[in-house]
Amino acid sequence: MLLLNEQEMRAAVTCEDIMEAVEKAFLLFEKGDCKMADRYTASDKGNTMLYMPCFVDGVIGTKMLAEFPGNPAKGYPYLSGLMVVNNAENGQPEAIMNGSVITALRTGAVGGVAMKHFSGPDTYSVGLVGCGVQGVHQLMYACSVRDITHIYLYDVPEKDLKPFISKLKEMIAPKTPEIVICENTTELLKNSQVVITATQARKPLFPNDPALLEGKCFIGIGSWQPVMREYPEAIWDVVDCVYTELPFACEESGDLSQPLDSGALTMDRVRYMGNYLTRKYAGEEIALGKTRFYKSVGMGIFDAMAAKKIMECAKKKSLGKEISL
Ligand SMILES: NC(=O)c1ccc[n+]([C@@H]2O[C@H](COP(=O)([O-])OP(=O)(O)OC[C@H]3O[C@@H](n4cnc5c(N)ncnc54)[C@H](O)[C@@H]3O)[C@@H](O)[C@H]2O)c1
């Protein structure tokens, strides 16, 4: 069995490799070529364990994530975990790797795929609300998909963004876009063509003003529980429809469940990315509207396909350590 740590995982693949694995995951999911349970969670004292098994493409990927909201204040990451890859023919474990790195790489790639399909090819500016682990990976993929010259950042005022900016510069080198810290999200909106949100917010991050939101491409990463929400009702005045991953997202994410409950959003305006990509690759022209919105909640199939790609690439490059249990 191959054991891969963070450095080996990152050295094994490029952004393009993981985006290719994620696009394939969307297409296989649309065809029904996978067996994946709804995300199973167990919680205690506000901390949650998530278990995400998926049979797909010759492997079984299982990610186990610990989500501990109090961790950043104690110096630990918000998310940590393990990823196991088993052989789908005989069930034997084939690889074990860092679950937080898989999460960050595949979630970054989901944002990258959304940006590739929903943002204009001449996009040069991107705004990020939520300068954490997912945020830095979202920007890494954004810079790999488009020629980004301007990055706008916003986080809670008490957060020192210097360590984040150093990490970001390291991850996107040799690219050197101008990086600006915004006073508020209105300033960020006014400057950014693509806006990415990756926070644990429970209230909308932006003013409820359609004029501020119009004409942009939004990528929502944060809200994955009904009480979590990043977008105001005004978004539904400016988008034709929202793209997401699967119907369960409408129950899981407050960005979808709350406007569905209030009537601001109706199910006929909820579309699925796998269906979009399948139709687009079959040659269909799909009108997206002037303002675009991709809302991600994540799926186990992304982890399984990304882990499979990392395992295969690592083997080719002789990275990692063979161990027996
Ligand atoms: N869609 C997916 O597939 C997916 C995958 C992984 C994580 N997530 C979610 O993404 C979110 C971020 O995860 P992370 O690992 O990057 O966490 P993190 O703690 O590393 O980063 C989150 C950042 O958001 C900031 N933030 C929180 N509330 C804010 C607010 N109201 N305004 C501005 N900034 C705010 C925090 O200060 C922090 O810098 C979490 O909700 C997580 O569950 C989604």
Side-chain angles (χ1 to χ4, degrees):
M1 189 180 69
L2 188 63
L3 179 67
L4 289 165
N5 66 20
E6 170 164 7
Q7 291 70 28
E8 292 153 351
M9 290 169 73
R10 291 187 189 278
V13 287
T14 61
C15 290
E16 290 67 33
D17 290 330
I18 302 296
M19 282 178 53
E20 190 186 301
V22 162
E23 281 219 14
K24 191 170 173 195
F26 275 121
L27 298 172
L28 290 171
F29 180 69
E30 174 68 12
K31 273 174 46 191
D33 272 355
C34 66
K35 295 280 175 296
M36 179 174 68
D38 283 348
R39 198 188 336 252
Y40 175 76
T41 59
S43 298
D44 186 37
K45 299 182 189 116
N47 301 318
T48 304
M49 286 299 299
L50 297 92
Y51 300 91
M52 303 164 71
C54 179
F55 286 71
V56 65
D57 209 22
V59 298
I60 311 157
T62 306
K63 187 170 77 173
M64 287 156 274
L65 266 194
E67 188 237 0
F68 276 53
N71 263 3
K74 296 180 198 158
Y76 294 109
Y78 172 68
L79 295 174
S80 30
L82 277 183
M83 179 80 210
V84 181
V85 182
N86 293 63
N87 184 304
E89 295 296 318
N90 54 31
Q92 298 308 294
E94 291 196 330
I96 186 161
M97 57 188 86
N98 184 317
S100 328
V101 176
I102 273 286
T103 303
L105 291 178
R106 67 78 150 150
T107 309
V110 170
V113 168
M115 193 156 160
K116 177 173 132 190
H117 291 279
F118 294 163
S119 74
D122 53 353
T123 298
Y124 62 86
S125 61
V126 56
L128 170 72
V129 185
C131 303
V133 176
Q134 308 316 316
V136 79
H137 287 83
Q138 291 296 318
L139 291 176
M140 178 174 88
Y141 279 85
C143 290
S144 86
V145 170
R146 296 283 181 253
D147 191 6
I148 300 297
T149 58
H150 289 74
I151 291 177
Y152 297 89
L153 303 176
Y154 181 76
D155 204 289
V156 291
E158 58 272 24
K159 182 151 176 167
D160 174 12
L161 293 183
K162 282 191 216 82
F164 178 88
I165 292 173
S166 303
K167 175 100 185 151
L168 173 62
K169 285 183 174 167
E170 204 182 287
M171 285 172 69
I172 61 176
K175 295 180 182 174
T176 54
E178 190 180 324
I179 301 173
V180 178
I181 300 176
C182 298
E183 290 289 319
N184 49 50
T185 57
T186 300
E187 182 189 342
L188 182 138
L189 282 172
K190 284 184 176 162
N191 286 290
S192 311
Q193 294 163 295
V194 171
V195 176
I196 303 170
T197 54
T199 73
Q200 295 93 347
R202 290 177 173 231
K203 289 201 185 107
L205 297 163
F206 307 107
N208 195 32
D209 178 357
L212 278 174
L213 308 174
E214 192 159 24
K216 303 186 184 299
C217 168
F218 291 95
I219 300 174
I221 297 296
S223 157
W224 65 278
Q225 288 178 328
V227 292
M228 297 172 88
R229 180 162 181 183
E230 296 187 306
Y231 290 87
E233 296 275 275
I235 188 116
W236 307 112
D237 295 340
V238 291
V239 296
D240 293 346
C241 57
V242 57
Y243 282 85
T244 188
E245 284 131 18
L246 72 178
F248 190 49
C250 297
E251 294 169 42
E252 231 187 358
S253 166
D255 271 330
L256 301 177
S257 67
Q258 292 183 28
L260 281 166
D261 285 349
S262 75
L265 172 66
T266 44
M267 276 311 286
D268 57 313
R269 294 167 74 196
V270 179
R271 309 274 159 82
Y272 302 105
M273 190 65 168
N275 180 269
Y276 171 84
L277 291 175
T278 305
R279 289 163 55 203
K280 184 169 176 182
Y281 287 136
E284 198 176 322
E285 291 278 339
I286 305 165
L288 284 166
K290 191 172 159 215
T291 314
R292 289 114 197 257
F293 186 19
Y294 185 81
K295 172 60 207 142
S296 169
V297 290
M299 302 195 280
I301 190 172
F302 296 146
D303 300 294
M305 292 298 289
K308 180 183 177 196
K309 176 69 96 179
I310 290 172
M311 178 179 78
E312 288 170 352
C313 293
K315 281 184 183 166
K316 279 191 201 142
K317 294 182 179 173
S318 303
L319 292 165
K321 190 175 170 190
E322 279 296 336
I323 58 165
S324 50
L325 291 174

